[in-house]
């Protein structure tokens, strides 16, 4: 085993050509647009990033599960609720996978979903605004890795737990009772066809193994979900040894149409459990968080014909369905073959009860009965497979650092190219859908030594773009990425651009703290709270002078950007604030809370360069001692002292 894994640090054959590439095919002339958006998971950054393909240009980092001081996400009063959980405010997570909404198995450009691996959650990103619109926590789960995977018509986003855990009333059990007390779950989260709103429709309790990746069926296999899983040994320590004992683990096949029938028949049991559901309202420009209290749980022992296991070479990672929905590809990381299963044969084996016993009461289909065939000697460490529109598959190989192209029907290897280095996932535009767009395959690599300028012990994460237009794959471009990229999806830019939001209309702003014009700007005291209803427009704030704030007060700056021009955000920051700035889009209202700690005069200013007089877009807040008699006043353009203070400071004649 040690010798096997020692290969992962080696350069692949052909590394001498690492300087190759054809950047001319990735050049996008000034003023021209890329053909595809590439949505890339940010891994341990907790965010999602957006690149252009083929240029590799970074367009945006979308804050999702981690606070972001650049945009004020998780710092502004309107967005803090997005990061609420049943554990309280959680300002970080680990985003591994992307899913884009589908209609009839094809990308439709409405929403993107991302998973939180650490504190289990699913996020929905609105592709009109490129903002996180909703986050739902996943209860009865630990390590929400096997998610979010979406069904053919976006009926469900599906989430499987990576770590099995004790469930039920008594969760304080010895770890070494894993086999007796630990269980897994898979969750089916419904997606409203109009609003995108998410709801946990039902969960299925599963045997206590680790669920890795998944794919929904499509076409003839629509109504089924396939999950790779490992640790069928149900080990609880030193898994690199103890979870690699058996020759085969499993792919779990779930008939979710049958599960729906069982829910309707009343077979699901209500389970009391707390989880947060956070929604951002685009008209109010603010989020609300609701704590939900129950879910519906199905138990396979009460629901026959709902779940089957089929053996897969051990420690599978990827589990991918081809565009026709007939073939399901497993990727056993420790195997020297790639197994390809046939949905038709799966159905035949189920009908004939062609089982090889059971696992925890769930029927295990015979390997040979469901196998279409095996790709022989494809490489070392297969991870993940996507497809083109010509019947070909592309699989990433972590250990041998390469992408291998092979034909799905005859299982023959057609081509291979080295990656630099230790590729994880890959992405073909439209690759997980019924209609792949082809043209490119993008590798997301874990190691980049000798590819970029050195930046200390850690180097930039890496993506590499290859052409798949011809029979042979060709390296075109390297580009660095944010965080640690895992999975990504690419979609034609035209599907998103036609519906893109450019501004928020002032007349549609329903934020209760909005000032919809300078005449509505004001400052009000409510006990020890000071509410500043402020406007920003090129190139001033209204008001820009505020006095009468006292130590012990909390100041809420409710800033409304009055611009109605595309790409003119304004920023807002105040000296001494210990949270972040605000970044306010045209027509939007955002709030920054500030508690001054010292007496003095504090500057405030616009942080986003907005005009030639950006530097002049500033103001002052005066903070006086607690108990001071300085009245609360505010102004814009006024230079004379207030009358009461002028009188107080005049010298006797």
């Amino acid at each position: 085993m040690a010798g096997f894994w020692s290969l992962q640090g080696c350069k692949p054959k052909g590394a001498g050509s690492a300087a190759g590439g054809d950047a001319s095919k990735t050049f996008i002339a000034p003023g021209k647009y890329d053909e595809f958006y590439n949505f890339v998971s940010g891994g341990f950054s907790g965010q999602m990033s957006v690149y252009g393909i083929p240029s590799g240009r970074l367009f945006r980092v979308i804050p999702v599960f981690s606070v972001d001081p650049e945009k004020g996400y998780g710092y502004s009063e309107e967005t803090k609720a997005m990061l609420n959980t049943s554990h309280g405010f959680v300002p970080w997570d680990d985003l591994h996978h992307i899913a884009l909404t589908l209609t009839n198995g094809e990308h439709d450009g409405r929403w993107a979903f991302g998973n939180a691996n650490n504190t289990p959650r699913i996020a929905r990103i609105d592709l009109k605004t490129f903002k996180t619109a909703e986050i739902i926590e996943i209860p009865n789960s630990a390590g929400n890795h096997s998610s979010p995977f979406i069904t053919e018509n976006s009926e469900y986003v599906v989430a499987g737990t990576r770590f099995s855990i004790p469930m039920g009333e008594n969760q304080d059990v010895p770890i070494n009772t894993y086999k007796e007390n630990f269980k897994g779950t898979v969750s089916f989260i419904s997606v409203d066809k109009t609003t995108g709103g998410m709801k946990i429709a039902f969960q299925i309790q599963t045997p206590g193994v680790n669920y890795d990746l998944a794919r929904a069926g499509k076409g003839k296999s629509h109504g089924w979900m396939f999950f790779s899983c490992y640790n069928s040994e149900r080990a609880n320590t030193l898994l690199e040894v103890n979870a690699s004992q058996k020759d085969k683990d499993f792919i779990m096949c779930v008939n979710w149409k049958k599960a729906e029938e069982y829910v309707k028949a009343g077979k699901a049991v209500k389970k009391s459990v707390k989880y947060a559901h956070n929604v951002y309202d685009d008209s109010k420009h603010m989020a609300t968080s609701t704590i939900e209290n129950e879910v519906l749980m199905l138990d396979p022992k009460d629901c026959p014909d709902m779940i089957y296991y089929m053996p897969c070479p051990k420690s599978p990672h990827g589990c991918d369905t081809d565009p026709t929905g007939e073939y399901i590809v497993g990727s056993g990381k420790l195997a020297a073959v790639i197994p390809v299963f046939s949905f038709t044969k799966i159905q035949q084996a189920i009908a004939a009860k062609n089982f090889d016993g059971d696992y925890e009461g769930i029927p295990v289909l015979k390997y040979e009965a469901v196998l279409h065939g095996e790709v022989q000697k494809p490489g070392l460490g297969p991870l993940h497979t996507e497809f083109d529109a010509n019947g070909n598959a592309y699989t990433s190989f972590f250990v041998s650092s390469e992408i291998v192209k092979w034909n799905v029907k005859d299982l023959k290897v057609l081509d291979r190219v080295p990656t630099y280095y230790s590729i994880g996932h890959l992405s073909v535009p439209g690759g997980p859908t019924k209609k792949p767009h082809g043209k490119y395959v993008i590798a997301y690599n874990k190691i980049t030594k000798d590819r970029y300028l050195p930046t200390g012990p850690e180097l930039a994460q890496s993506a590499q773009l290859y052409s798949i237009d011809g029979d042979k794959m060709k390296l075109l471009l390297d580009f660095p990425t944010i965080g640690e990229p895992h999975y990504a999806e690419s979609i034609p830019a035209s599907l998103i651009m036609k519906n893109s939001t450019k501004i928020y209309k002032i007349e549609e702003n329903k934020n209760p703290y909005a000032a919809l014009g300078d005449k509505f700007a004001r400052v009000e005291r409510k006990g020890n709270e000071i509410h500043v209803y402020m406007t920003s427009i090129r190139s001033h704030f209204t008001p820009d002078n505020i006095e009468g704030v006292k130590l012990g007060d909390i100041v809420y700056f409710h800033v409304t950007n009055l611009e109605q021009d595309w790409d003119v955000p304004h920023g807002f920051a105040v000296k001494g604030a210990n949270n972040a700035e605000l970044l306010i889009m045209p027509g939007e209202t955002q709030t920054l809370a500030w508690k001054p700690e010292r007496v003095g005069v504090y500057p405030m200013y616009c942080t986003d360069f907005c005009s030639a007089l950006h530097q002049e877009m500033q103001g002052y807040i005066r903070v006086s001692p607690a108990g001071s008699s300085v009245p609360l006043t505010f102004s814009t353009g006024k230079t004379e002292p207030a009358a009461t203070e002028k009188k107080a400071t005049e010298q006797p004649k």
Side-chain angles (χ1 to χ4, degrees):
M1 182 71 69
F4 180 84
W5 287 113
S6 67
L7 291 170
Q8 72 181 40
C10 298
K11 296 180 182 180
K13 292 180 180 179
S17 65
D22 189 351
S24 66
K25 293 184 177 179
T26 70
F27 175 70
I28 301 298
K32 300 297 182 181
Y33 293 147
D34 280 278
E35 185 176 359
F36 296 98
Y37 284 104
N38 183 216
F39 293 88
V40 183
S41 65
F44 44 66
S45 76
Q47 317 294 37
M48 189 183 296
S49 50
V50 186
Y51 298 83
I53 297 296
S55 73
R57 297 179 295 192
L58 174 64
F59 294 142
R60 186 166 183 82
V61 176
I62 303 173
V64 184
F65 295 116
S66 299
V67 294
D68 183 0
E70 178 193 357
K71 302 173 185 69
Y73 181 81
Y75 293 104
S76 74
E77 296 303 296
E78 281 82 0
T79 59
K80 284 180 179 177
M82 292 301 290
L83 299 179
N84 189 42
T85 74
S86 62
H87 306 278
F89 182 80
V90 177
W92 167 85
D93 219 295
D94 187 13
L95 196 163
H96 278 218
H97 304 125
I98 308 291
L100 303 180
T101 44
L102 304 171
T103 299
N104 192 30
E106 299 179 18
H107 283 149
D108 57 31
R110 293 180 295 164
W111 304 298
F113 298 88
N115 68 326
N117 191 29
N118 187 64
T119 303
R121 289 169 283 176
I122 299 292
R124 177 174 59 88
I125 290 83
D126 189 337
L127 296 184
K128 290 182 180 179
T129 61
F130 283 62
K131 287 188 175 184
T132 302
E134 186 176 11
I135 295 178
I136 193 166
E137 189 177 1
I138 310 298
N140 301 314
S141 178
N144 176 43
H145 185 265
S146 184
S147 69
F149 297 101
I150 197 160
T151 56
E152 190 172 84
N153 283 293
S154 305
E155 298 95 338
Y156 297 105
V157 169
V158 184
T161 186
R162 173 181 175 182
F163 307 108
S164 290
I165 54 173
M167 294 188 191
E169 294 181 4
N170 183 18
Q171 298 183 14
D172 179 16
V173 299
I175 296 172
N176 62 11
T177 65
Y178 186 107
K179 292 182 179 180
E180 294 78 30
N181 291 315
F182 286 51
K183 297 292 183 182
T185 57
V186 292
S187 304
F188 285 76
I189 303 154
S190 62
V191 180
D192 186 275
K193 293 182 182 299
T194 303
T195 66
M198 297 187 292
K199 179 182 179 181
I200 299 178
F202 58 90
Q203 295 184 310
I204 301 175
Q205 185 169 287
T206 62
V209 298
N210 298 66
Y211 296 89
D212 200 339
L213 294 177
R215 277 289 183 218
K218 55 176 78 80
K220 62 175 61 180
S221 57
H222 176 59
W224 287 75
M225 198 82 196
F226 305 96
F227 298 82
S228 63
C229 42
Y230 61 99
N231 191 24
S232 55
E233 297 86 352
R234 289 179 292 164
N236 59 274
T237 183
L238 199 62
L239 263 62
E240 65 173 333
V241 174
N242 294 323
S244 302
Q245 301 299 306
K246 297 182 178 181
D247 287 337
K248 289 183 172 64
D249 283 297
F250 297 116
I251 286 177
M252 184 173 71
C253 310
V254 177
N255 184 339
W256 59 261
K257 288 285 189 181
K258 179 73 71 172
E260 287 182 330
E261 293 174 9
Y262 282 126
V263 172
K264 290 178 182 177
K267 292 289 187 179
V269 176
K270 289 183 180 180
K271 298 285 186 179
S272 295
V273 62
K274 293 187 180 297
Y275 60 99
H277 187 187
N278 312 325
V279 180
Y280 190 84
D281 186 324
D282 251 349
S283 64
K284 294 182 178 179
H285 310 158
M286 58 177 21
T288 55
S289 179
T290 304
I291 297 296
E292 307 286 355
N293 294 296
E294 67 179 22
V295 293
L296 293 174
M297 183 78 74
L298 292 170
D299 191 327
K301 74 176 187 297
D302 302 322
C303 306
D305 304 322
M306 183 176 67
I307 297 181
Y308 298 89
Y309 281 119
M310 56 186 183
C312 183
K314 61 184 176 182
S315 298
H317 186 60
C319 177
D320 301 283
T321 56
D322 84 313
T324 70
E326 169 63 20
Y327 301 109
I328 299 98
V329 179
S331 295
K333 299 194 298 289
L334 305 184
V337 298
I338 298 176
V340 182
F341 302 96
S342 161
F343 182 74
T344 299
K345 289 185 175 182
I346 291 170
Q347 297 307 298
Q348 292 170 348
I350 290 172
K353 298 189 182 301
N354 200 350
F355 302 148
D356 190 8
D358 68 84
Y359 184 83
E360 293 292 295
I362 295 174
V364 177
L365 303 170
K366 285 188 177 179
Y367 182 69
E368 294 78 10
V370 296
L371 188 70
H372 166 61
E374 296 175 336
V375 183
Q376 297 293 320
K377 298 182 180 179
L380 294 176
L383 291 185
H384 171 225
T385 300
E386 290 208 345
F387 307 89
D388 64 21
N390 303 312
N392 301 313
Y394 301 79
T395 300
S396 58
F397 287 82
F398 178 77
V399 178
S400 51
S401 290
E402 59 186 334
I403 297 174
V404 174
K405 176 183 178 181
W406 51 277
N407 184 267
V408 176
K409 286 189 177 180
D410 66 22
L411 306 177
K412 298 287 179 63
V413 171
L414 303 174
D415 190 25
R416 61 180 72 236
V417 290
T419 61
Y420 309 99
Y421 307 97
S422 298
I423 180 178
H425 285 271
L426 50 71
S427 172
V428 173
T433 75
K434 289 171 69 173
K435 185 182 177 181
H437 307 291
K439 297 190 71 170
Y440 307 106
V441 62
I442 308 156
Y444 304 94
N445 305 323
K446 304 303 181 185
I447 297 172
T448 57
K449 61 181 77 174
D450 75 35
R451 298 302 286 178
Y452 300 126
L453 288 172
T455 52
E458 185 186 21
L459 301 180
Q461 309 293 325
S462 168
Q464 291 184 300
L465 181 74
Y466 297 80
S467 167
I468 59 172
D469 272 345
D471 292 336
K472 297 295 184 180
M473 294 177 281
K474 295 180 181 179
L475 175 63
L476 302 179
L477 181 71
D478 282 21
F479 59 95
T481 61
I482 299 295
E484 184 200 10
H486 288 261
Y487 182 53
E489 283 198 36
S490 298
I491 184 173
S494 58
L495 289 177
I496 293 177
M497 290 175 63
K498 62 185 179 182
N499 295 317
S500 184
T501 296
K502 292 181 169 62
I503 63 169
Y504 295 99
K505 294 180 181 179
I506 282 287
E507 63 270 21
E508 295 177 1
N509 185 330
K510 306 301 181 185
N511 188 299
Y513 300 104
L516 303 183
D518 284 352
K519 66 180 181 180
F520 300 107
R522 62 198 186 279
V523 180
E524 297 175 351
R525 175 180 287 280
K526 297 179 181 178
N528 71 330
E529 295 181 356
I530 303 292
H531 290 266
V532 181
Y533 299 81
M534 178 181 286
T535 63
S536 61
I537 196 165
R538 288 167 286 185
S539 297
H540 67 274
F541 294 109
T542 302
D544 64 4
N545 279 206
I546 302 168
E547 304 193 27
V549 177
K550 303 172 186 178
L551 287 183
D553 287 341
I554 300 176
V555 184
Y556 293 93
F557 296 96
H558 310 292
V559 187
T560 300
N561 181 350
L562 297 181
E563 306 285 354
Q564 292 289 269
D565 191 5
W566 189 20
D567 196 29
V568 188
H570 285 298
F572 177 82
V574 58
K575 180 179 182 291
N578 60 5
N579 39 23
E581 61 144 14
L582 295 177
L583 190 61
I584 314 112
M585 297 301 111
E588 188 180 40
T589 299
Q590 290 288 291
T591 299
L592 184 73
W594 175 58
K595 186 174 183 179
E597 300 293 337
R598 302 174 188 171
V599 170
V601 174
Y602 292 81
M604 59 183 181
Y605 67 103
C606 176
T607 55
D608 191 89
F609 204 102
C610 54
S611 73
L613 296 177
H614 166 73
Q615 287 295 100
E616 285 74 13
M617 193 168 175
Q618 64 180 54
Y620 293 98
I621 305 99
R622 176 185 172 187
V623 178
S624 300
S628 167
S629 61
V630 176
L632 184 64
T633 59
F634 60 94
S635 62
T636 303
K638 184 178 179 181
T639 58
E640 290 296 315
T644 53
E645 290 212 53
K646 185 175 182 180
K647 186 178 294 185
T649 56
E650 285 180 348
Q651 296 296 319
K653 295 182 180 178

